[in-house]
Amino acid sequence: MLKFNVYLYNTRKLESFCAFMVTQAPFRYPFLRHLSIAGFYPMPSSESISQLVEILTHASRLQTLHLSCYDLLKSDHRLQAACSSLTSIKEFHMCWNEGPVFQAQDPLYKMLKQMQSPLVRADLRFFRCNDGIGLDLATLLHSTATLEDLTVSNIAFQSELQFPRLRKLSFSTINYPPLALTARIFPNLTDLTILRDMDHLNAENDRYRQLNRSVQLAGGGWTSLDRLTGWPLDLYSLGLTCPIRCVKIFVYSHNHELVADILSDCRPSQIDIVFNDIFPSVRCLSDEVAARLTYLRCTIHLIYFDRNPIALVSATHYAFRRLVADTMM
């Protein structure tokens, strides 16, 4: 049983799990492989917390750890120390939006920075960062040589560290990241997702796009990507001109016109478009892009059309009459 994911999502589950583990302590501790701990209300007893500390301290083969229990971790520094001291973690997820986060003071930031496990995959979702900076990549210094997959919200591209093994990056950030710096930090990236979801095109977007195109003309950036995902405004502003095999775009009515520029820039052979709104019938695929396509997928999120049959007909007409017809498939 301990080889599968153990999911502790309430106080009763936690106390039952701890009682089970300590019954044959320390024999059962090394058999724990995957552990997820969610938020608790009411808080567990001090005895259960002490037992959990004991379990984590001796879980020498724990490979996956998911934490969304900010209040619990914050309540006892021993839990933070136990998580940091683990050396076998390969996949680490940490998420909370319980309140403002200040990197210099927050216990989970400190815990992450002090971790002794060389992570292969990390999913770090810190919301409401009050210092306005975002997660400093130096926090992941312990995993620069091993990290392959990183998802992070509110990231700050300030460090000159390199993650040579990282292939997949998904992030959100307040400001657009410098392309040249990002490519130096992640030189072997193949899969990039940007989820900023900004609303309207402005002069700053055009300046950022032109800067990135200049960087690429000078030999900076990546030579190719396997996959690129994001909202039209973000991908347009990023302005990647390297070959990209597959592009996935989430389209709203007010930014559909940017799609044609994005696809012309990176010349994908596979396109995945997700429609999230009502939109006019416009041509997104140029003849050059259509001629290169080997795969086209159109997804309509019906929830956004609010049972409006006219909107649904419009969406269906656009997706299947315009896009599919344009590709001559």
Side-chain angles (χ1 to χ4, degrees):
M1 181 185 72
L2 294 177
K3 293 182 179 179
F4 300 97
N5 184 42
V6 176
Y7 181 32
L8 308 178
Y9 55 87
N10 60 40
T11 301
R12 184 180 62 83
K13 285 280 186 181
L14 174 65
E15 293 178 345
S16 175
F17 168 74
C18 290
F20 167 77
M21 292 294 287
V22 300
T23 299
Q24 294 187 17
F27 173 75
R28 286 176 174 164
Y29 297 160
F31 290 95
L32 184 61
R33 297 289 194 274
H34 310 282
L35 179 62
S36 298
I37 307 176
F40 298 103
Y41 184 82
M43 289 289 285
S45 65
S46 58
E47 179 183 3
S48 293
I49 293 177
S50 296
Q51 290 173 342
L52 182 59
V53 170
E54 177 74 11
I55 294 167
L56 287 171
T57 302
H58 296 91
S60 57
R61 298 177 186 174
L62 187 64
Q63 299 174 3
T64 305
L65 181 60
H66 292 213
L67 300 175
S68 54
C69 51
Y70 178 70
D71 289 340
L72 178 62
L73 284 167
K74 189 177 179 181
S75 69
D76 197 310
H77 67 89
R78 295 176 302 162
L79 280 174
Q80 303 162 29
C83 292
S84 295
S85 66
L86 292 165
T87 59
S88 57
I89 301 296
K90 301 301 179 186
E91 181 175 326
F92 182 65
H93 294 233
M94 188 158 58
C95 172
W96 84 88
N97 57 354
E98 297 298 326
V101 174
F102 296 88
Q103 283 195 63
Q105 306 168 12
D106 192 86
L108 285 194
Y109 273 108
K110 294 179 180 178
M111 184 189 77
L112 177 61
K113 191 172 185 178
Q114 295 169 1
M115 288 189 73
Q116 298 181 32
S117 291
L119 303 176
V120 175
R121 182 182 181 190
D123 190 332
L124 310 171
R125 300 174 190 254
F126 298 93
F127 302 103
R128 298 178 62 186
C129 291
N130 271 19
D131 51 20
I133 298 175
L135 179 70
D136 186 351
L137 287 172
T139 310
L140 296 170
L141 179 63
H142 48 73
S143 300
T144 53
T146 57
L147 199 60
E148 298 177 4
D149 185 338
L150 175 62
T151 297
V152 58
S153 60
N154 298 307
I155 191 172
F157 290 87
Q158 297 176 317
S159 173
E160 288 285 354
L161 291 175
Q162 273 201 339
F163 294 80
R165 293 179 62 90
L166 196 119
R167 299 292 186 269
K168 185 175 182 180
L169 173 65
S170 176
F171 71 90
S172 64
T173 181
I174 298 174
N175 301 309
Y176 281 114
L179 176 60
L181 176 60
T182 306
R184 287 199 301 271
I185 295 174
F186 309 109
N188 298 308
L189 194 69
T190 60
D191 188 330
L192 175 62
T193 298
I194 304 178
L195 297 174
R196 296 179 72 249
D197 192 17
M198 304 303 287
D199 287 332
H200 299 288
L201 184 68
N202 55 44
E204 184 63 28
N205 299 113
D206 286 322
R207 283 195 295 270
Y208 180 68
R209 176 178 171 84
Q210 291 305 317
L211 174 62
N212 287 345
R213 294 175 77 87
S214 298
V215 167
Q216 293 172 93
L217 285 173
W222 299 284
T223 56
S224 66
L225 289 177
D226 182 67
R227 187 175 180 86
L228 177 67
T229 303
W231 301 94
L233 184 55
D234 295 329
L235 301 189
Y236 172 84
S237 302
L238 188 61
L240 292 181
T241 58
C242 64
I244 301 175
R245 181 187 63 85
C246 180
V247 174
K248 182 174 183 177
I249 308 177
F250 304 93
V251 182
Y252 279 112
S253 59
H254 61 265
N255 54 29
H256 59 78
E257 295 178 350
L258 303 176
V259 175
D261 289 327
I262 296 167
L263 299 179
S264 295
D265 285 344
C266 55
R267 309 174 300 282
S269 60
Q270 299 185 15
I271 298 175
D272 187 347
I273 297 184
V274 180
F275 300 113
N276 293 319
D277 205 345
I278 304 172
F279 33 76
S281 182
V282 296
R283 186 181 178 93
C284 286
L285 305 182
S286 66
D287 292 339
E288 181 184 2
V289 172
R292 189 177 288 106
L293 274 185
T294 60
Y295 174 88
L296 173 63
R297 179 179 181 180
C298 302
T299 302
I300 302 171
H301 278 181
L302 299 182
I303 189 173
Y304 290 97
F305 296 95
D306 195 26
R307 302 178 184 176
N308 184 338
I310 297 177
L312 182 56
V313 169
S314 172
T316 307
H317 171 79
Y318 175 65
F320 295 99
R321 290 293 302 277
R322 301 297 298 182
L323 279 175
V324 177
D326 284 347
T327 61
M328 297 177 288
M329 295 177 66

